[in-house]
Amino acid sequence: MNQPLPFAGRGGRTTPSDLTEIMGKVARGDKQAFSALYDALAPLVFGIVLKVVRDRAQSEEVTQEVMIDLWRQAARYRPEAGSVQTWAATIAHRRAVDRVRSAQAATDREHAQAAREHTTAFDEVSEQVETRLESEQVRRCLRGLTELQRQAVTLAYYRGLTYREVAEALRTPLPTIKTRMRDGLVRLRDCMGVTT
C-alpha cells in the first residue's frame, strides 16, 4: 500500500521549501528524508543526464551516482545559493558531462592505439622492403669486387672473422688482406653511394 511521503506538500507534491527542509534532514543522515529526496529529484536528474549522455543504461548509472553525491554532499547545500533542484541539476549536468568526456577519452585512446598498431605494421613492411632492397644492392656491389676482395669482405663482415683469421682462411699474407679489404670497402662505399 502506498503511503504519502511525510514531506509532501499540498496535493502530494514536494515543494521547494519542502526540499530545503528535506535536504537539512538528509544532511543529518535521515534515511527516510533521503528516500523522499530521491523520489522528488531522481526523475529530474535522470532527464538531465539522459539529454547529455544519450544512453539509457549509462544515464541510469550516472543518475545513481548523482543521487549518492546528493546524500554525501547534503551538508554542503546552501539554500541562499539556489534551490535544491538547481543544485541537483548542476551536479547531474557535471556528472553527465564527465561521463561523456570519459567515454570520448576512452574512444580516442582506442583509436590512437589502433593507429599506432596500424602504423607499426606498415613500418615493419616498409622496413622489410628497404632491407631487401639494400641487401640486393650490397650483393650487386659485391659482384663488382675482385674475387679476393669479395672473399675477404664476406669473411670479415658476414662471418665476423678478424683480419688475421681472414688471412689464414684465404692463405694470403696479412698486409695483402688489409689492402684488398680497404680497396674493396672503398669500392663498396662508392657503389652504394655512401658519403662520408
Side-chain angles (χ1 to χ4, degrees), residues 4-36:
L5 295 174
F7 301 103
R10 298 178 277 142
R13 299 194 61 190
T14 308
T15 66
S17 62
D18 290 339
L19 285 176
T20 301
E21 180 186 339
I22 292 170
M23 187 58 78
K25 291 183 179 188
V26 171
R28 292 187 295 277
D30 186 328
K31 291 180 182 176
Q32 188 177 7
F34 179 69
S35 178

Side-chain angles (χ1 to χ4, degrees), residues 130-140 158 192:
E130 190 174 317
T131 301
R132 186 177 305 138
L133 290 174
E134 287 175 358
S135 296
E136 289 173 11
Q137 185 178 10
V138 168
R139 281 193 291 277
R140 182 178 50 78
Y158 289 103
M192 304 244 343

Side-chain angles (χ1 to χ4, degrees), residues 93-106:
H93 188 264
R94 285 182 189 153
R95 276 287 189 150
V97 169
D98 287 348
R99 177 63 65 101
V100 170
R101 286 180 180 158
S102 175
Q104 185 61 49

Side-chain angles (χ1 to χ4, degrees), residues 142 145-153 170:
L142 278 171
L145 301 179
T146 67
E147 184 64 26
L148 185 57
Q149 288 172 333
R150 184 173 42 256
Q151 289 175 337
V153 168
L170 297 177

